Amino acid sequence: LFPSLGVGWILSEESFLDKTWLNNLKLRGSYGSNGNLVDRYSSLAILQTYAAYVFGDGGTTVFGQQVQNLANPNLTWETTTGFNFGLDFSVLSNRFTGSIDYYRSTTNDLIFDVAIPEITGFDQITSNVGKVANRGIEVVLNADVLRKNDFNWNVNINFASNRNEII
């Protein structure tokens, strides 16, 4: 189950704000989760068919099977849960616009191929390991510096900062 919710409030449509210089002001937020699974059958042992045996001199080849990977019945979905808060704005007849976003997400039960001793007959097993946190801020500013007949001069600036952390 991966629920999500997003809401927004256009503050510039409220009567308590001065709209002489403010064209748009919107506050928004979202929260949700999603999942990832490597393969539908990644928790099961998969058999591989191959030409395995020859009976007698010049006899026919008989097919055999061998286990291709180890089963992991405890393998679960990798789940990422996050939230985002943002502010969109435009002022002075939409001459200056922009947005500011802050986000944070956490991924639990990372799916990873873990190395194991080859004496087992296998060199790895797909498992859930670890947790990763990701957070950051993004700022976008746009300005129409000059608007004259058939000539426009626009300036766009963006800034982003992202921090990943293994927990």
Side-chain angles (χ1 to χ4, degrees), residues 58-74:
T60 59
T61 302
V62 178
F63 284 93
Q65 294 179 339
Q66 74 180 37
V67 178
Q68 185 177 343
N69 65 307
L70 278 177
N72 184 354
N74 298 320

Side-chain angles (χ1 to χ4, degrees), residues 9-19:
W9 180 18
I10 302 175
L11 293 163
S12 57
E13 292 183 359
E14 300 294 337
S15 60
F16 58 81
L17 282 177
D18 178 17
K19 297 179 190 95

Side-chain angles (χ1 to χ4, degrees), residues 19-143:
K19 297 179 190 95
T20 56
W21 58 276
L22 181 66
N23 302 106
N24 182 39
L25 183 62
K26 180 180 180 181
L27 185 63
R28 55 185 163 69
S30 62
Y31 172 85
S33 63
N34 61 26
N36 180 34
L37 190 59
V38 175
D39 183 20
R40 177 177 291 178
Y41 302 109
S42 56
S43 64
L44 304 175
I46 297 174
L47 295 176
Q48 177 182 19
T49 304
Y50 66 105
Y53 308 102
V54 176
F55 287 108
D57 265 349
T60 59
T61 302
V62 178
F63 284 93
Q65 294 179 339
Q66 74 180 37
V67 178
Q68 185 177 343
N69 65 307
L70 278 177
N72 184 354
N74 298 320
L75 187 65
T76 62
W77 284 79
E78 177 180 285
T79 305
T80 301
T81 302
F83 65 86
N84 178 315
F85 294 110
L87 180 72
D88 300 324
F89 61 89
S90 63
V91 295
L92 303 175
S93 300
N94 294 321
R95 196 109 187 189
F96 299 96
T97 63
S99 64
I100 302 169
D101 285 282
Y102 174 76
Y103 59 88
R104 181 172 178 86
S105 63
T106 304
T107 303
N108 294 303
D109 298 325
L110 289 168
I111 297 174
F112 190 76
D113 289 330
V114 177
I116 58 175
E118 288 189 32
I119 196 165
T120 62
F122 302 93
D123 59 353
Q124 65 185 20
I125 184 169
T126 304
S127 301
N128 294 106
V129 296
K131 186 178 189 181
V132 174
N134 183 17
R135 63 186 161 101
I137 187 168
E138 296 178 2
V139 179
V140 176
L141 301 173
N142 308 305

